[in-house]
Amino acid sequence: MNNNLMNQDKGMQRRMLIMTLVVLAFFIAYEYLVLKPQQEARQAEIKKEQVAKQNSAPKVEQNSSSVTASAENISKSAEGLSSKAISSNDLIATVKTKHNTIQIDSLGRIAQVVLEDKQYIDENKQKIKLFEANQLRPLEVRFADANVNEEAFKTSVVASSNDVDATTSVQKLVLTQNLTDTVLTKTFTFYPDGHYDLAVATTNGKKFFISNGFRPNVLADMYADHGLYVKQNDGTMELTKDGDLDKTKSYTGIKFVSSFDRYYATVIYNFDKSLAVTVMPDKEENPQGFIHGDSNISFSGYVGPKEFKTLKALNPELTDVIEYGWFTFIAKPMFIFLQYIHNLVGNWGWTIVLATILIKLVLYPLSYKGMVSMQKLKDLAPKIKEIQTKYKDDKQKASMHMMELYKKHGANPMGGCLPILLQIPVFFAIYRVLLNAIELKGSEWILWIKDLAEMDPYFVLPILMGVSMFIQQKLTPNTMQDEMQKKIFQMLPVVFTFFFLWFPAGLTLYWFVNNVFTIAQQYTINKMFEKKRALKK
């Protein structure tokens, strides 16, 4: 214990260094800081056993190995047919809603979704299309009977209409597939807001599975999760990331299944009658979801941006489709707070500025304590060094004198570190919100910032962020004695600037404003201590 007391100052410096490096590591490789998928799977299995009764879906055999096995077999047998590119000749129906255009192919699948709102354009100024040429499509049906399945992939469906205009009113569309042993019927109800209801039925009791499709592939990177998300009846959420699924998973009692990238998702949901879902890996161990349809099933679906207001309007529980990572419990209320400010100011750029300042004001007492403690430790650094030198051969006496010194001057070696640590969850929550908020897409701020969801085209904000971080570093008291630690901290503004070059402008704006406000706080406290020192002289 005495050895620990003797080295409190150095220990604090090490803790500060470790904390900063952890923050840096989070931005570099957030994916690798999450618990291993195998551990998550084991914990999920335990949880599912505990709530099996609560989550059990009606008329679905959870422990039926034949159902799961047939799903896997059909998946493998149909894989080549399923992933073929869809040509324009394969399209049999086009559905227009207020916000998107949905194309239906000859197998009754959603071949493509084109977003019609003006903010959804790609880097080539073209309307965003959600799906790649060769991928599992939403609403693809696979039969449990292999012979029926093989025939189904060779037989076109017949549409009740080729063009459906649901831009202003609810519209119906019926797809019929006549097979030797059964007739498959899909009855759609399309709504102007872009979502749909679907009833699927077969004759002769032929069982089938229907997929919500592979995720949209507009933006999938290392900075945000992408994969498949399910929500169970008891509220449990389980995420399967792309590349992490090495074996088939089966769920019952599911409220929704969502396949998603950073901004977009394809979702199937039913909050009245729960779903049974099998999730299987593709060749790259990405998750593919299949809902057990038995011989008939009804549900609702949505394919499009993960906009909070849109999802909430469909059902408040669908806002859980938006995944914020570790700090969801803080991030979700944080987004609601941001949205409230946006409703007042009408611009997402100024919303970020104002919200950042308000959050800094709320956290100011913590920041103040940390900054004051750092100043006190800086003032005491020469005396601490004297004690360590004077009693270098008597650690017990050195510890005693250091503790007396801290007590006399009201200093706490952990006082500068703890307040900062307490603020980190809030900062990371904002980081996740701004990183995942599709609402920033197409939102202008000032001058050259035309889209807060895209990187700053001229790198002005990242450079300003780096400069502000450098100034903040210079103003912050530094009691480090180790030269290597000093050099590492001096390099952090350069490293952070480099990584922020490609971050969304909205996120970089937040970090810059946060730094500027911290500089103002630190400058004020520094001046306050300078006056106190002058009075003592």
Side-chain angles (χ1 to χ4, degrees):
M1 181 176 177
N2 288 332
N3 289 342
N4 291 335
L5 292 172
M6 177 68 180
N7 295 305
Q8 281 189 47
D9 188 51
K10 290 184 179 179
M12 183 198 69
Q13 295 170 12
R14 291 192 193 98
R15 284 189 289 270
M16 290 292 292
L17 176 61
I18 291 169
M19 182 193 69
T20 305
L21 292 178
V22 167
V23 174
L24 178 60
F26 176 85
F27 287 107
I28 297 173
Y30 173 76
E31 306 287 271
Y32 300 102
L33 298 179
V34 185
L35 293 175
K36 294 294 183 182
Q38 292 83 356
Q39 294 172 330
E40 291 179 341
R42 284 196 296 270
Q43 291 171 357
E45 287 300 322
I46 294 171
K47 180 69 175 177
K48 280 188 285 184
E49 288 175 8
Q50 293 173 345
V51 298
K53 290 183 180 180
Q54 182 180 357
N55 282 343
S56 60
K59 300 181 181 179
V60 176
E61 298 176 284
Q62 182 178 7
N63 297 320
S64 172
S65 58
S66 62
V67 172
T68 303
S70 64
E72 288 191 80
N73 293 336
I74 297 306
S75 176
K76 291 174 183 177
S77 66
E79 193 170 315
L81 294 167
S82 173
S83 61
K84 286 184 177 179
I86 300 170
S87 68
S88 57
N89 294 330
D90 294 323
L91 302 178
I92 62 166
T94 300
V95 181
K96 289 186 178 294
T97 73
K98 186 177 179 181
H99 301 290
N100 58 28
T101 297
I102 302 169
Q103 297 173 339
I104 309 293
D105 75 356
S106 58
L107 294 180
R109 308 173 296 187
I110 294 179
Q112 189 58 271
V113 174
V114 182
L115 303 182
E116 299 294 344
D117 292 330
K118 64 179 181 179
Q119 68 267 36
Y120 297 118
I121 55 173
D122 59 21
E123 59 275 10
N124 299 317
K125 306 301 180 184
Q126 300 296 312
K127 292 178 181 178
I128 287 177
K129 297 180 179 180
L130 295 186
F131 301 121
E132 296 284 351
N134 304 304
Q135 71 170 77
L136 176 66
R137 290 307 202 280
L139 308 184
E140 177 169 303
V141 169
R142 298 187 183 182
F143 286 92
D145 185 319
N147 294 325
V148 175
N149 199 60
E150 184 177 355
E151 182 186 1
F153 271 94
K154 298 175 182 177
T155 306
S156 296
V157 303
V158 177
S160 60
S161 176
N162 300 121
D163 292 293
V164 178
D165 185 358
T167 53
T168 58
S169 61
V170 177
Q171 297 292 325
K172 297 277 188 180
L173 175 67
V174 179
L175 304 179
T176 306
Q177 188 177 42
N178 294 294
L179 304 173
T180 302
D181 294 329
T182 190
V183 176
L184 172 72
T185 305
K186 291 181 177 178
T187 304
F188 286 92
T189 304
F190 289 101
Y191 296 84
D193 61 9
H195 89 282
Y196 61 86
D197 297 333
L198 177 61
V200 188
T202 60
T203 59
N204 301 328
K206 291 297 181 180
K207 294 184 177 181
F208 62 88
F209 306 89
I210 187 166
S211 179
N212 70 313
F214 186 64
R215 61 164 173 78
N217 197 29
V218 182
L219 183 58
D221 54 30
M222 66 175 287
Y223 297 113
D225 292 333
H226 44 88
L228 183 141
Y229 222 7
V230 294
K231 183 174 184 177
Q232 299 187 27
N233 283 342
D234 67 338
T236 302
M237 303 288 299
E238 183 164 335
L239 169 66
T240 304
K241 295 181 185 177
D242 285 345
D244 282 356
L245 187 64
D246 57 359
K247 61 181 180 180
T248 296
K249 294 181 181 180
S250 292
Y251 302 92
T252 56
I254 296 300
K255 291 187 175 185
F256 71 68
V257 55
S258 168
S259 297
F260 65 95
D261 66 3
R262 185 195 291 188
Y263 291 141
Y264 309 94
T266 169
V267 190
I268 284 176
Y269 59 95
N270 192 327
F271 295 105
D272 298 321
K273 185 177 180 181
S274 54
L275 306 169
V277 180
T278 295
V279 181
M280 292 175 288
D282 63 10
K283 292 180 180 179
E284 298 177 351
E285 297 190 342
N286 299 321
Q288 299 181 122
F290 288 89
I291 294 110
H292 297 216
D294 200 8
S295 60
N296 67 83
I297 191 172
S298 297
F299 54 76
S300 298
Y302 171 78
V303 183
K306 295 186 288 182
E307 290 181 344
F308 189 91
K309 283 184 178 179
T310 301
L311 294 170
K312 186 179 180 181
L314 296 177
N315 189 294
E317 288 196 63
L318 280 178
T319 58
D320 289 335
V321 166
I322 307 170
E323 197 272 330
Y324 296 114
W326 292 351
F327 300 105
T328 296
F329 68 100
I330 303 176
K332 199 168 182 178
M334 188 70 70
F335 177 80
I336 295 172
F337 168 65
L338 286 170
Q339 195 169 59
Y340 174 77
I341 296 175
H342 178 260
N343 291 338
L344 297 176
V345 302
N347 179 281
W348 276 106
W350 292 115
T351 295
I352 292 169
V353 173
L354 184 57
T356 306
I357 293 173
L358 289 174
I359 291 166
K360 289 295 289 183
L361 287 172
V362 170
L363 296 176
Y364 180 72
L366 282 175
S367 301
Y368 178 80
K369 286 183 180 180
M371 291 175 177
V372 168
S373 184
M374 292 295 289
Q375 282 284 358
K376 288 180 179 179
L377 289 173
K378 179 184 177 183
D379 291 345
L380 293 177
K383 293 182 180 180
I384 292 171
K385 192 171 183 179
E386 279 181 28
I387 292 172
Q388 290 174 337
T389 304
K390 185 176 181 179
Y391 300 103
K392 61 182 179 180
D393 296 324
D394 191 340
K395 294 180 180 179
Q396 186 174 356
K397 189 169 284 189
S399 299
M400 182 182 68
H401 282 284
M402 285 171 62
M403 291 304 294
E404 288 176 357
L405 184 68
Y406 290 143
K407 188 175 181 180
K408 180 181 177 181
H409 294 274
N412 182 354
M414 284 296 294
C417 186
L418 187 59
I420 296 173
L421 287 173
L422 291 174
Q423 295 177 61
I424 284 178
V426 177
F427 296 151
F428 280 172
I430 300 172
Y431 162 78
R432 291 293 298 187
V433 166
L434 296 179
L435 194 65
N436 288 278
I438 185 63
E439 285 77 3
L440 300 185
K441 182 68 179 172
S443 298
E444 297 183 2
W445 182 40
I446 56 172
L447 302 175
W448 71 100
I449 303 297
K450 303 298 183 183
D451 190 340
L452 287 164
E454 300 291 335
M455 57 181 275
D456 184 335
Y458 303 111
F459 307 118
V460 176
L461 281 176
I463 292 170
L464 288 175
M465 189 281 301
V467 171
S468 65
M469 192 174 181
F470 176 78
I471 295 171
Q472 179 185 339
Q473 221 178 53
K474 290 297 181 183
L475 288 174
T476 303
N478 188 346
T479 59
M480 289 183 181
Q481 304 296 325
D482 187 86
E483 289 300 320
M484 180 59 69
Q485 290 181 3
K486 287 182 180 179
K487 288 179 181 178
I488 291 173
F489 269 92
Q490 287 169 359
M491 285 298 296
L492 286 181
V494 177
V495 175
F496 269 67
T497 300
F498 175 78
F499 283 105
F500 270 78
L501 291 176
W502 294 277
F503 273 27
L507 180 59
T508 312
L509 175 62
Y510 154 70
W511 208 260
F512 169 63
V513 174
N514 183 74
N515 285 351
V516 170
F517 204 84
T518 303
I519 289 169
Q521 290 178 333
Q522 189 68 63
Y523 179 79
T524 302
I525 291 172
N526 288 357
K527 285 296 181 182
M528 181 182 74
F529 269 80
E530 285 177 11
K531 287 180 180 179
K532 287 183 178 181
R533 294 187 194 108
L535 289 173
K536 286 181 180 179
K537 293 179 180 178

